Amino acid sequence: MKTKIVTTFLLTLLLGIAVKGQEKVTSPEFLKYTNSKWVDSVMKSLTPKERIGQLMFVAAYSNKGIEHEKEILETIQKWNIGGLVFFQGDPVTQVKQMNSYQKQAKTPLLGAIDAEWGLGMRLDSTISYPYQMALGAIQNNNLIYKMGTEVARQIKNTGLHLNFAPVADVNNNPDNPVINYRSFGEDKYKVAQKSIAYMQGMQNAGLLTTAKHFPGHGDTNTDSHYKLPQINHSLERLNNLELYPFKELINAGLNGVMVAHLNIPALDASEKPSTLSKAIVTDLLQNKLGFSGLIITDAMRMKGVTNNNKPGIVDKEAVQAGNDVLELTQNVAKAITEIENAVKNNSILQADIDNRVRKILAAKQWAGLHNYKPTPNKNLVHNLNNANAKLLKRQLVEASLTVLKNDDDVVPLQKLDTLNIMSISIGDSLTTKFQKTLGLYDNVKHFNIGNDINPATIDKLKKAINNHNLILLGIHDSSAFPKNKISFSNTLLKFIEGLPFNKTVVTYFKNPYSIAKIKNIENAKSLILTYQDSKTTQDIAAQLIYGGASANGKLPVSIGSKFKAGAGLTTAKKIRFKYTLPEDAGLNSKTLNSGIDSLIQQAISNKAIPGAQVLIAKNGKVVLHKAYGTHTYSDTTKVKLSNVYDIASVTKISSALPALMHLQDANKFSTEKTIDDYLPYFKGSNKAGIPFREILTHQAGFSPWIPYWQNTLRKNGSYKWHTIKRDSSARFPIKITSNMWLNRNYKKKVFKAIKKSPVSDVKKYKYSGLVFYLLPTIVEEITSTNFVDYINANFYDKLGATTLTYNPEQKFSHSKIIPTENDFLFRHSTIHGTVHDEGAAMMGGISANAGLFSNANDLAKLMQMYLDMGTYGNEEFISKNTLKQYTSVQFPDNNNHRGIGFDKPYLIYKGENSNTAKDASKESFGHTGFTGTMVWMDPKENVLFVFLSNRVTPTRENRTLYKLNTRTKIQQVIYDAIK
């Protein structure tokens, strides 16, 4: 008794000083309804027993079937309980159940849920936001406030009114088994600030909140679900540290506080669980800290409170201690009986019961239950998972990413052409989302290891490591929650610890505390923390490595002696594509996706195309990247994003043209010079003296095309003996098909045909592809370098455009290459793996007229470089001035709308007959291809559009794609989707 008096005196002294120095406590807003007309009327309608029932909240599940529902309904009808706490299930069933329960309740029920990281904590088909430890790394608390408002919206849309969040515990014990990753961190000030941001976001959006676990559950290595933890800190320490966030939250107008099951001798020497302690609940929380909102017990079925305490009696003691709500009472009937008896013998005053019920009813009125209406469930799952909700999750994850090391600013990766990269994902035996996203940026060799490793795998990995100069190591978590443990075998752990960290970028998808258990990991070239493992964290972390995302998170906890709280580096701003949602770039997802999906489906249904790839980017953000349909009409093989298409005339702006611009910047090429300046063979021809500016804008008067392949045929349809043979040889080395081999000198015949072709005296726009057969040779003459080597070294390798290639069957299997036409005129076979254009095929597949293959993603990298006026990945490929010159209309007075090499919108819009969408700006530019491809860039809106298809299957006569005007209609959808 003496000890208790001394403790109470010290508590009063210390806390009295603390509270005196605080600002005035802000009372919860809902308390203004305590004596409202509605609350008065409800109080009059309740019997004393029913009033006690209002203190009880029982567990409800939407996945336990009809018997459980009947049990809940019976409890509601018999005891008039105050509320339900929902756990596992699905949102639609939960809404239906809650509507049913409310219909049967005499007094409207307060619906609660323990959704610290959102509905996904409890319900399937809903969003899980990052755990609080990850949020603790975020520097912009406005994002956490936004999360609060969004979590509130989602919870309210499932028929509930109260969230048992935020967790306000200061986690300063790495071995804490129950709080840990659920805490904002170890810094009391930041825990308080972030807790307030989350709380205010929820409350301002109309949701009741509950800060937990008072008076602080952060420094314990015992889980109160199974045993009563003991916290042996001094009163001064508790006041200065554990209680600090709660005091700040209370001052900020917090609705509710959840009291934990803890044994804290400094606050109550009786060893009672804090939930049952009047010294803690009444004297400390209410009287000393001035909290007047809802006081809710932690679950009354947890062993931290039930051990050595009988059902019913323990509930009575919780009410005696000063709690308003008994969460998850084990036995409602016994609890009500015990409390009722306590009222009769005056150990609990009826006035106290009434005051608490009024408080609960006031909270219900604030939540709108005085005007209760059933919650609608139409389109509920879609509504809960809307685009803005998904985008917020991605924003939170990106803002939480923490770079603890970044030697030589290795992240984001630069100079991709100098890197030979391998990835190792540890803890996941299948290719991970992390690895798939890495593959969007460059050619990365992937390796996967489960939680164990064998000697053969070690040998294989060591060889691969020696052959690569950069390792991207992902350390994954097989646990559903990021616990502070390492489940890897000792052999695997030693393998990790023995890696050459000086050339390794480590991305750690586990609890940061567990880093302390891995030797040498702090020596990594770069070390990135994501705090948890999910597809979203994997996706965005991979983007961070390549500069599609950036990082400025700060470590919220200390990791042994390796890293202290507050550590964290800021990486460079975005330098490559960011793969994200339309809303991230200011587009409407529904308009964009539904509009494009509909147009593609129309094209496929009308057999305009069997399939397609579409990529759309705005502001350097890829907002749509989809594959549709099948390889051919008769095939069931679905198009994948990794498949490569013949891009046909888009080759013109993707191969020689960037080379010419690059050479112009080096003063080695000029559009004012002529073909004969670079190819003396053309001196004295009708092509001599015509500047490239006229040629590349298609107003030099050249013939549109020459059917070179027809010159190989006799009148009877057989091949001339000196042109094509069935087998290869030194004289016939150029492969057209497996049984068609072209004479090695045929390229000279092509050049001769171009040289002799007529030139019109009328200098007006007339499309011609002839010069593009010559351009690779011109580049080679200027550079003394093989053309393909030149464009690979100066463009594709640096861009990470690994599928942008000539002669794809030399690099990829046919299963990766989309076929084009069934050629019955020249090749007499299905064209698959080789270029569709006959002339390019006769050039060995390498021409600037056609010949390139690519997937949409890699082609988009080159186009984005154009859109960014010559830069990508922090490298300048072409000067801004040169690109502006080439992408500008050159001869508008001559009714020529073309740029230099690039197509441009018609000078006057011609409706559906125009080459672009109506809203495409005059500054836009691009090109189309005969196989059904299109790329278009619009600097005004910073929009990129890539469309790849094989409309020429089964025959080039299929012009339905043009009749439907699919490509330009899709382009218009982009502008329609821009908000």
Side-chain angles (χ1 to χ4, degrees), residues 34-104:
T34 304
N35 295 297
S36 70
K37 289 182 179 179
W38 182 78
V39 171
D40 285 345
S41 67
V42 174
M43 286 296 294
K44 289 176 183 177
S45 72
L46 298 177
T47 66
K49 182 172 287 188
E50 288 174 332
R51 294 180 185 186
I52 296 172
Q54 284 294 295
L55 309 181
M56 312 288 165
F57 280 41
V58 302
Y61 296 78
S62 54
N63 64 353
K64 284 193 173 183
I66 192 67
E67 291 303 319
H68 174 71
E69 290 185 40
K70 289 179 179 178
E71 183 183 336
I72 297 296
L73 281 170
E74 184 180 335
T75 302
I76 292 168
Q77 293 166 341
K78 188 172 183 179
W79 303 111
N80 195 43
I81 57 173
L84 299 171
V85 182
F86 276 87
F87 287 88
Q88 283 73 28
D90 71 271
V92 174
T93 304
Q94 177 175 292
V95 167
K96 289 178 180 178
Q97 287 184 349
M98 192 57 174
N99 287 341
S100 173
Y101 297 150
Q102 293 284 24
K103 188 176 180 180
Q104 298 299 319

Side-chain angles (χ1 to χ4, degrees), residues 95-316:
V95 167
K96 289 178 180 178
Q97 287 184 349
M98 192 57 174
N99 287 341
S100 173
Y101 297 150
Q102 293 284 24
K103 188 176 180 180
Q104 298 299 319
K106 176 181 177 180
T107 307
L109 295 158
L110 199 64
I113 192 167
D114 195 352
E116 296 164 19
W117 50 87
L119 283 176
M121 181 174 175
R122 300 297 178 191
L123 304 180
D124 61 27
S125 308
T126 58
I127 293 177
S128 288
Y129 288 105
Y131 300 126
Q132 284 192 195
M133 182 179 284
L135 301 179
I138 294 175
Q139 298 306 292
N140 179 7
N141 289 339
N142 286 334
L143 272 176
I144 299 173
Y145 177 90
K146 282 179 67 177
M147 174 181 157
T149 62
E150 180 56 32
V151 167
R153 181 190 74 85
Q154 294 179 30
I155 290 176
K156 288 168 65 181
N157 280 352
T158 61
L160 308 183
H161 321 93
L162 168 64
N163 190 12
F164 293 147
V167 174
D169 301 311
V170 180
N171 198 86
N172 40 26
N173 187 335
D175 296 322
N176 193 321
V178 64
I179 304 302
N180 204 296
Y181 62 88
R182 296 164 62 197
S183 165
F184 285 117
E186 68 180 48
D187 185 311
K188 67 178 183 179
Y189 300 108
K190 292 179 180 177
V191 170
Q193 292 161 8
K194 294 176 189 299
S195 295
I196 290 170
Y198 190 16
M199 174 270 288
Q200 289 180 335
M202 288 188 283
Q203 289 187 182
N204 289 347
L207 188 73
L208 294 161
T209 65
T210 308
K212 59 188 184 185
H213 304 81
F214 185 84
H217 206 322
D219 194 1
T220 173
N221 57 8
T222 302
D223 187 342
S224 53
H225 289 85
Y226 306 105
K227 187 179 178 181
L228 182 66
Q230 187 173 70
I231 295 178
N232 290 310
H233 294 305
S234 69
L235 195 58
E236 184 176 11
R237 150 67 190 261
L238 293 167
N239 182 51
N240 289 333
L241 183 59
E242 275 78 7
L243 289 172
Y244 180 81
F246 293 98
K247 290 189 284 187
E248 292 297 304
L249 280 158
I250 291 168
N251 183 62
L254 175 69
N255 285 152
V257 168
M258 179 179 285
V259 181
H261 306 310
L262 300 168
N263 174 9
I264 312 175
L267 296 179
D268 188 339
S270 69
E271 298 189 0
K272 279 186 178 181
S274 44
T275 340
L276 310 182
S277 169
K278 188 172 184 295
I280 293 173
V281 178
T282 298
D283 297 343
L284 173 56
L285 179 57
Q286 295 183 76
N287 297 339
K288 303 301 187 296
L289 299 185
F291 181 64
S292 54
L294 284 176
I295 302 175
I296 303 171
T297 68
D298 208 341
M300 295 302 288
R301 62 189 183 185
M302 292 166 62
K303 293 190 182 300
V305 72
T306 60
N307 282 348
N308 304 317
N309 291 304
K310 294 180 179 180
I313 295 174
V314 73
D315 302 282
K316 175 195 69 177

Side-chain angles (χ1 to χ4, degrees), residues 47 65 406 438 479 497 519 565 586 601 651 687 797 875 890:
T47 66
N406 198 25
L438 293 174
S479 171
E497 293 171 347
K519 296 176 183 177
Q601 188 54 53
T651 300
K687 312 294 183 306
D797 292 347
E875 290 190 63
Q890 299 296 303

Side-chain angles (χ1 to χ4, degrees), residues 4 114 233 255 265 333 355 369 407 412 421 596 743 818 865 928:
K4 186 174 181 180
D114 195 352
H233 294 305
N255 285 152
N355 287 337
L369 284 168
D407 294 348
I421 306 172
I596 292 175
N743 189 295
I818 302 292
M865 181 269 287
T928 57

Side-chain angles (χ1 to χ4, degrees), residues 780-797:
E780 290 179 343
E781 289 293 320
I782 296 171
T783 63
S784 299
T785 304
N786 175 274
F787 174 68
V788 174
D789 290 343
Y790 184 83
I791 57 175
N792 279 335
N794 287 284
F795 293 97
Y796 308 158
D797 292 347

